[in-house]
Amino acid sequence: MEVIKTIEAMKEFSSQARLAGKTIAFVPTMGFFHQGHLSLMREGRRRGDLLIISLFVNPTQFGPSEDFKSYPRDFERDRKMAEEVGVDVLFAPEASAMYPPNHQTIVRVEKVTQTLCGRSRPTHFQGVTTVVTMLFEIVMPHVAIFGEKDYQQLVTIQQMVKDLRMSVEVVGLPTVREADGLAMSSRNTYLPPEERKAALSLYHSLQKAKELLQKGERKADRILHEVKGSLQSEPLIRIDYVQVCDAHTLQDVDRIEGDVVVALAAYLGKTRLIDNLVYRTL
Ligand code: AMP
């Protein structure tokens, strides 16, 4: 596996690969890998002649009071894990190279970013879409792979690629979970044992939603009531939001008719976790 640290070298590598007719699969990440990241990489390995991943803790997607500084980082561990799953290139640029002092351009997707996490993290998605646009320009992938764990991010990137006619196929993969059901996340490392135990309620509340949906419940408020009630019975949890949304537009629905996502965000102490259930009725 090759580690590339400069934008120029990455562009050169990808240009040459494209000239040689290679298909490039790409997985953007912020590192501190777990099985969720590795599942995206394995899919990339299947889909591309070359698999490129990026490791970049992107400062612009963190709010001023968020965890940019404390976000877990371990380059050596990540490098080894990437190598083991067969990554060809690990691209790890410096923030000062990605955002030189005169950087002035922001890519912002409107409607789908204004709900769910966008309400409590108003500049988060423009940070994501700006950096992903830059990464797509630098890495020049044919296919890019994202996780449904960050469902709103996936929909936002799909919308951006469609609107800007970007020449990349966006693939979404299901959430990988711990044995007990907790969605894997680099942020789970913040949780002391008590909060780690309480965090399971996120998964359990979504399982309750799934049971209701499977039994034929079609009223969103009934689902919301159940999920919120389940979360509220856990004293260590503070709900940020629970919403039932159309899985494509992310607009709230009253009745479940097509594909929906039941999405939630909650705090355990200072740690904010998200999870969701994608329920396809068709
Ligand atoms: P991050 O490093 O947290 O920015 O995540 C990088 C990519 O991994 C994103 O596309 C995430 O949606 C995806 N991802 C994170 N956690 C999981 C998970 N538990 N299962 C599947 N994909 C995930």
Side-chain angles (χ1 to χ4, degrees), residues 28-30 34 36-37 40 71 146-147 149-150 153 174-176 184:
T29 82
M30 299 207 299
H34 49 64
H37 295 111
L40 307 190
Y71 196 83
F146 295 85
K149 156 79 181 6
D150 301 277
Q153 169 174 283
T175 301
V176 176
M184 288 192 184

Side-chain angles (χ1 to χ4, degrees), residues 159-189:
Q159 187 70 45
M160 173 183 84
V161 163
K162 184 167 165 242
D163 289 347
L164 300 182
R165 277 72 170 182
M166 291 177 164
S167 303
V168 56
E169 180 192 356
V170 175
V171 173
L173 290 192
T175 301
V176 176
R177 297 178 180 279
E178 301 287 354
D180 62 4
L182 180 69
M184 288 192 184
S185 164
S186 308
R187 289 190 169 98
N188 291 349
T189 53

